[in-house]
Amino acid sequence: MIKTKKRGDLIIISGTTCAGKGTVIKKLLERHNDIVLSISYTSRAKRDYETNGVEYYFVTREEFERKIRDGELLEYNEYAGNYYGTPRKEVVEKLETGKDVVLEIEVNGAKMIKERYPETVLIFIMAPSMEEVKRRIKMRGAENNEQILARFKTAYNEINQVNNYNYVVVNDDVEEAVKKVESILVSEKLRVDRIEEIFVENQEEIIHEFLIEKEFVNEERDI
Ligand code: 5GP
């Protein structure tokens, strides 16, 4: 009776640094074949544990700026001194195959996407406290003090932009956080504005049959 749009959902998952959004997304992808992650371009240096083409496509600033000029990016932003951007073609193609596409991007990029594509689902993942963020940044130990400070300041600014999002999930327990994101995505599929068409089959016939069953209508006289 209901025909829904076949296109997948565009989902943005942002969060303060060290909020654990990467882990939440990883678990989400492991459990749902119909959800895929968009791999961004970045000009930031690759960390030891990262692989080109897995976490990001690592490119030079020059190559990134060429992509901006050629309109290859759906959105981009400079964050803590490096460029980050979403590839346009891959995202559009994946959405058209009916897959839901997750963009793990920061608040300014999210805002840009929301303005252009208002039907995007925006989820913000928060760490339980800033003390916890500080502890996790130090534990990761991948950056110098200046970079850590820049990330910490950015985290404060980001929290002030939560009202641009549709949902906020506090990650004090990863399993619980994943469940919450899953229920958001299920609810989004049930939104009335996702319905393309509502049609009622054989309405007259069904009412007639129903009335006959209830002996409200004398079938012979009716014919
Ligand atoms: P990180 O350097 O820790 O991997 O990422 C820094 C920030 O950049 C994170 O908040 C991450 O979500 C964001 N980010 C990653 N890819 C993109 C992107 O394509 N566009 C934008 N605007 N932000 C991104």
Side-chain angles (χ1 to χ4, degrees):
M1 285 208 338
I2 285 175
K3 192 170 155 200
T4 48
K5 291 175 187 155
K6 288 200 188 64
R7 238 172 149 250
D9 281 331
L10 187 57
I11 303 149
I12 291 181
I13 301 187
S14 304
T16 46
T17 186
C18 292
K21 61 182 184 298
T23 315
V24 171
I25 293 172
K26 191 164 166 273
K27 287 185 181 287
L28 196 67
L29 299 176
E30 281 166 3
R31 292 174 198 176
H32 301 272
N33 292 333
D34 49 352
I35 305 178
V36 293
L37 181 68
S38 157
I39 300 169
S40 298
Y41 288 102
T42 183
S43 66
R44 126 158 121 59
K46 189 171 81 58
R47 295 176 187 142
D48 288 346
Y49 55 86
E50 292 174 324
T51 311
N52 189 28
V54 177
E55 287 84 3
Y56 290 104
Y57 296 111
F58 295 94
V59 294
T60 59
R61 285 187 76 84
E62 293 70 34
E63 175 63 2
F64 198 102
E65 283 165 359
R66 187 202 55 76
K67 286 182 184 299
I68 299 173
R69 281 196 305 276
D70 292 351
E72 288 181 23
L73 304 174
L74 207 56
E75 62 73 41
Y76 70 93
N77 192 40
E78 215 167 341
Y79 180 97
N82 298 302
Y83 281 126
Y84 295 84
T86 305
R88 180 189 301 279
K89 193 162 165 270
E90 281 95 325
V91 170
V92 171
E93 281 172 2
K94 283 173 185 160
L95 286 174
E96 277 167 4
T97 63
K99 301 257 187 209
D100 289 342
V101 181
V102 173
L103 309 184
E104 183 190 340
I105 65 176
E106 51 66 63
V107 293
N108 295 311
K111 202 169 165 207
M112 208 190 273
I113 297 266
K114 190 186 176 184
E115 279 160 15
R116 288 191 198 156
Y117 310 97
E119 68 282 9
T120 307
V121 183
L122 292 99
I123 304 171
F124 194 89
I125 312 262
M126 289 247 250
S129 69
M130 287 312 274
E131 269 308 311
E132 180 60 16
V133 171
K134 199 162 121 193
R135 198 185 64 79
R136 291 181 192 173
I137 294 182
K138 283 189 175 163
M139 222 170 61
R140 192 162 65 181
E143 288 159 320
N144 63 38
N145 279 346
E146 207 178 302
Q147 287 167 323
I148 291 175
L149 189 65
R151 276 180 187 270
F152 208 61
K153 283 185 181 161
T154 309
Y156 273 104
N157 290 335
E158 285 180 332
I159 290 171
N160 290 329
Q161 296 194 45
V162 168
N163 54 3
N164 276 327
Y165 286 71
N166 303 113
Y167 301 95
V168 60
V169 172
V170 176
N171 181 14
D172 40 17
D173 177 289
V174 175
E175 278 307 316
E176 281 303 309
V178 174
K179 273 193 216 153
K180 285 177 186 165
V181 172
E182 285 174 330
S183 42
I184 292 168
L185 301 182
V186 169
S187 311
E188 282 293 326
K189 296 263 179 255
L190 305 176
R191 286 171 64 108
V192 169
D193 54 14
R194 283 191 60 90
I195 298 172
E196 205 167 87
E197 192 187 338
I198 298 183
F199 53 95
V200 185
E201 305 138 289
N202 310 330
Q203 189 177 353
E204 302 274 301
E205 213 174 291
I206 290 169
I207 291 174
H208 186 68
E209 278 169 16
F210 178 79
L211 291 175
I212 289 168
E213 275 165 27
K214 290 278 177 208
E215 297 171 359
F216 289 153
V217 171
N218 176 324
E219 202 177 352
E220 283 175 16
R221 194 192 66 207
D222 214 38
I223 294 165

